Amino acid sequence: MTAQAHVFDGIPGPLLEALRSLAKTAQLTVALDFDGVLAPLVDRPNDARSDPKSLQAISDLVLLSGTTVALVSGRSLESLRAVSGSPDGVLLIGSHGAEYDLGDGRAGVALTAEEKRALTELERAITGVASRHPEARVEGKPAGFALHTRGLTPDAAQAAQRDASRTIGATLPGVTHRAGKDVLEFSVVAATKADAMHRLRLHTTATAMLYAGDDVTDEDAFAALEPGDLSVKVGAGATVALHRLHGTAEVAQMLRVLASDRRNHLLGA
Ligand SMILES: [Mg+2]
């Protein structure tokens, strides 16, 4: 095995070459997962922070013409904003593609017409449930509703949750149910990172994209890439990505190389 000889600061030779080629595209979109890619994985999600070297490279990239950087995360937009520390100009996509902040002042959930109809139906259903269980509390979410049962007796909580599950399951079979501690959440969105990549490509009119991710849900984003794009799996695990990096330090190095190649290309160097 001679791979070591072809690795530059943790970046395999074929990826270096692909980065050099990508840097020459007319309209470049660099899309990055957050946890495990920009930020090392941590036990408490609120403690996650981007590698400062990656942040520096991202800051360099967003200042270049014809270049867009986007974070594409399973986190809510609110959480992503709070922990990523991303510089101005970086586009944010949260909830696996259900929430968007594309810098056009229209931050929020991008629901299809069908999802909007489902959300209205869901509101009607959950309001009905709440009227039968007045101690339960309904919270509106970007793409759904949460039924909180904290403080209720166990019997009352169970009755309210069962009523909600049955009512919504019967009338809105496409709605996703997620149970938490003293809460039952319902969402009308079944977005994936593939949806996020399609939307991002249209929004940025990208002529080529890079996507780097470390998790199973990132495979949807890799699969949405096209010839000429660049896919980078971070860490171990099966993947359809064409390139792989060891961890967040190598991602920082890759972004530094890309920023440098892109700047040199734009300067005609
Ligand atoms: Mg991740």
Side-chain angles (χ1 to χ4, degrees):
M1 185 69 191
T2 57
Q4 200 59 31
H6 303 293
V7 171
F8 171 78
D9 281 352
I11 307 183
L15 177 53
L16 270 182
E17 273 176 43
L19 288 167
R20 200 162 296 140
S21 166
L22 184 77
K24 293 175 183 161
T25 199
Q27 194 68 41
L28 172 65
T29 295
V30 180
L32 306 160
D33 177 33
F34 175 71
D35 294 282
V37 173
L38 291 185
L41 295 173
V42 291
D43 288 338
R44 292 184 301 178
N46 287 345
D47 292 343
R49 293 294 180 272
S50 301
D51 182 321
K53 289 179 182 161
S54 279
L55 278 188
Q56 182 57 56
I58 288 171
S59 299
D60 293 345
L61 279 164
V62 290
L63 291 176
L64 299 174
S65 64
T67 309
T68 305
V69 180
L71 305 190
V72 182
S73 175
R75 287 176 182 256
S76 71
L77 262 190
E78 191 182 4
S79 167
L80 187 57
R81 254 193 218 108
V83 296
S84 68
S86 62
D88 287 351
V90 173
L91 310 184
L92 300 177
I93 300 178
S95 303
H96 300 290
E99 291 185 275
Y100 292 84
D101 182 354
L102 300 181
D104 51 9
R106 294 183 296 161
V109 182
L111 297 180
T112 65
E114 197 177 321
E115 288 164 347
K116 282 178 189 161
R117 273 197 299 277
L119 190 60
T120 305
E121 285 287 307
L122 179 57
E123 181 169 24
R124 192 174 301 143
I126 199 90
T127 302
V129 171
S131 72
R132 293 191 289 276
H133 306 272
E135 300 154 288
R137 194 168 54 81
V138 172
E139 179 197 4
K141 299 277 226 171
F145 291 90
L147 183 75
H148 294 274
T149 52
R150 185 187 304 245
L152 275 68
T153 66
D155 281 355
Q158 200 182 29
Q161 293 205 358
R162 196 179 292 149
D163 185 4
S165 289
R166 280 187 185 154
T167 304
I168 290 156
T171 54
L172 291 154
V175 162
T176 304
H177 297 215
R178 232 177 258 116
K181 191 170 162 51
D182 299 324
V183 64
L184 194 56
E185 288 197 54
F186 301 92
S187 172
V188 299
V189 172
T192 71
K193 288 192 174 185
D195 302 309
M197 295 302 281
H198 290 310
R199 186 175 168 120
L200 202 49
R201 190 185 302 275
L202 288 175
H203 179 80
T204 63
T205 63
T207 50
M209 303 178 81
L210 176 150
Y211 185 75
D214 71 311
D215 213 335
V216 177
T217 54
D218 296 307
E219 295 299 315
D220 293 322
F222 292 139
L225 293 177
E226 297 176 0
D229 293 341
L230 211 166
S231 50
V232 182
K233 164 80 173 179
V234 181
T239 186
V240 298
L242 294 180
H243 300 273
R244 191 187 296 269
L245 287 174
H246 179 70
T248 54
E250 287 75 21
V251 170
Q253 186 63 17
M254 172 185 75
L255 293 174
R256 193 186 70 81
V257 167
L258 181 58
S260 169
D261 284 353
R262 182 70 171 159
R263 187 173 50 239
N264 288 340
H265 167 69
L266 292 169
L267 291 171

